[in-house]
Amino acid sequence: MRASGAFWTRVAGCRKGRNESFTENRAQVSVSLDGVDAATHEWLRGVQGCFQATLEGLQQLVQAGLKPQLVFTLIRRNVEQVTPIILLAERLGAGSIKFNLLQPTERGALLHCSEEALTVRELVELGSRVERQAATGSHIPILFHHPPAFRPLSRLFGESGGGCAVCGIKGILGVLHDGSYALCGIGQSTPDLVFGRADRVSLAAVWQGHPVLQAVRRDLPARLQGICRACLMQGICLGSCAAQNYYRHGNLWGPFWFCEQAYQEHLFPATRLRPEKR
């Protein structure tokens, strides 16, 4: 039996044999590329030489028959590269490109305190432009990864859209580098969301019995708070990112930071709110 799945990775240093393994297992591979030049990408990733190594790794993936997704994290330093990175993705043979919001977690939190983070207003305006213009004129699918409340219905449900593109939080389990089970990668910085090591507790016991996982499956979206509770898209979105919400609020049910700020600044789409909150 062969497994299929999704992988997010930095491909610098990927070996040919590993790429062939991805192909054999029908994997979906996402690769971080945060600039069209070495200076931009390497400033954000903090590893000298990783830009060229990433390009070479991408080429190997494509040659192995994969269509990797490029993931581009938006900051002030690279925001003018939105169109160029789309063109680069097409030229490299990528299957799609996703524009990620910079999350206020770990190093991202430091960038949010500096001038490198884009404001919510800038992100809302950029997202609207990408969704309505760039996404309809490219040869590959383009996803601007803001919450579904900010996406046109045609992009959510239409044939040319990218679908809902939400986190499958009720059906995933992270495995950290030390073999620990966790809600996702957030476990590296949030011990409360680490569920035990694979050599000490069985996968079945964690998956079926851990109270955090049980709460996620049982109580999302019913226990969402703030703007997420008032949003008509909560059943699809599930609060956008439970891990980020826990990091910010200390619980799984707090409102997603982007939507919270957008609502406070009167940028949240009124048509996606319950009538009493409009």
Side-chain angles (χ1 to χ4, degrees):
M1 182 176 69
R2 293 180 177 178
S4 61
F7 298 85
W8 177 90
T9 184
R10 302 181 184 94
V11 296
C14 256
R15 299 185 299 273
K16 182 177 179 181
R18 181 177 298 176
N19 297 335
E20 291 174 347
S21 177
F22 286 158
T23 304
E24 291 172 358
N25 289 287
R26 305 183 299 279
Q28 299 174 7
V29 182
S30 296
V31 177
S32 176
L33 186 63
D34 300 309
V36 296
D37 55 71
T40 305
H41 178 72
E42 293 175 11
W43 181 88
L44 187 58
R45 291 294 152 186
V47 180
Q48 186 175 3
C50 68
F51 176 74
Q52 185 58 40
T54 298
L55 293 184
E56 293 173 359
L58 280 164
Q59 291 172 348
Q60 291 181 23
L61 290 171
V62 172
Q63 290 170 3
L66 292 166
K67 290 288 185 180
Q69 178 186 72
L70 293 194
V71 179
F72 185 91
T73 299
L74 289 158
I75 56 174
R76 195 166 304 283
R77 190 174 296 250
N78 67 11
V79 69
E80 298 300 325
Q81 297 184 8
V82 167
T83 298
I85 195 67
I86 293 172
L87 297 176
L88 178 60
E90 293 175 342
R91 188 166 70 250
L92 289 172
S96 62
I97 184 167
K98 181 173 73 167
F99 292 100
N100 269 357
L101 308 182
L102 177 68
Q103 302 295 332
T105 307
E106 296 297 306
R107 188 183 178 206
L110 298 177
L111 293 175
H112 267 264
C113 294
S114 72
E115 296 183 355
E116 279 297 339
L118 298 170
T119 67
V120 168
R121 181 175 294 275
E122 289 172 319
L123 289 169
V124 169
E125 293 173 352
L126 178 60
S128 178
R129 176 167 64 85
V130 170
E131 291 278 18
R132 298 180 187 279
Q133 298 177 14
T136 59
S138 175
H139 300 305
I140 60 175
I142 296 174
L143 174 64
F144 194 94
H145 202 219
H146 48 191
F150 294 85
R151 305 193 67 201
L153 292 178
S154 60
R155 293 281 295 152
L156 286 170
F157 305 113
E159 292 183 1
S160 61
C164 297
V166 296
C167 175
I169 189 64
K170 293 190 176 186
I172 64 172
L173 182 67
V175 181
L176 305 183
H177 68 282
D178 64 352
S180 295
Y181 298 119
L183 185 65
C184 61
I186 195 72
Q188 297 181 73
S189 59
T190 309
D192 291 350
L193 299 180
V194 177
F195 310 142
R197 289 174 53 105
D199 59 350
R200 299 173 186 172
V201 60
S202 72
L203 173 60
V206 171
W207 183 253
Q208 297 172 6
H210 197 280
V212 170
L213 297 178
Q214 289 181 331
V216 165
R217 297 173 195 142
R218 180 184 65 243
D219 297 331
L220 278 178
R223 291 183 60 184
L224 288 173
Q225 302 168 355
I227 184 60
C228 293
R229 187 174 185 83
C231 180
L232 294 174
M233 307 299 290
Q234 63 169 262
I236 295 174
C237 183
L238 303 180
S240 189
C241 180
Q244 176 63 51
N245 297 342
Y246 191 96
Y247 183 90
R248 185 176 179 86
H249 301 286
N251 67 74
L252 296 165
W253 326 117
F256 188 56
W257 67 272
F258 180 86
C259 298
E260 186 177 40
Q261 290 184 36
Y263 181 71
Q264 292 170 353
E265 297 178 28
H266 306 288
L267 298 171
F268 197 94
T271 56
R272 305 296 170 85
L273 288 171
R274 297 183 185 279
E276 64 271 18
K277 295 290 288 187
R278 294 176 185 172

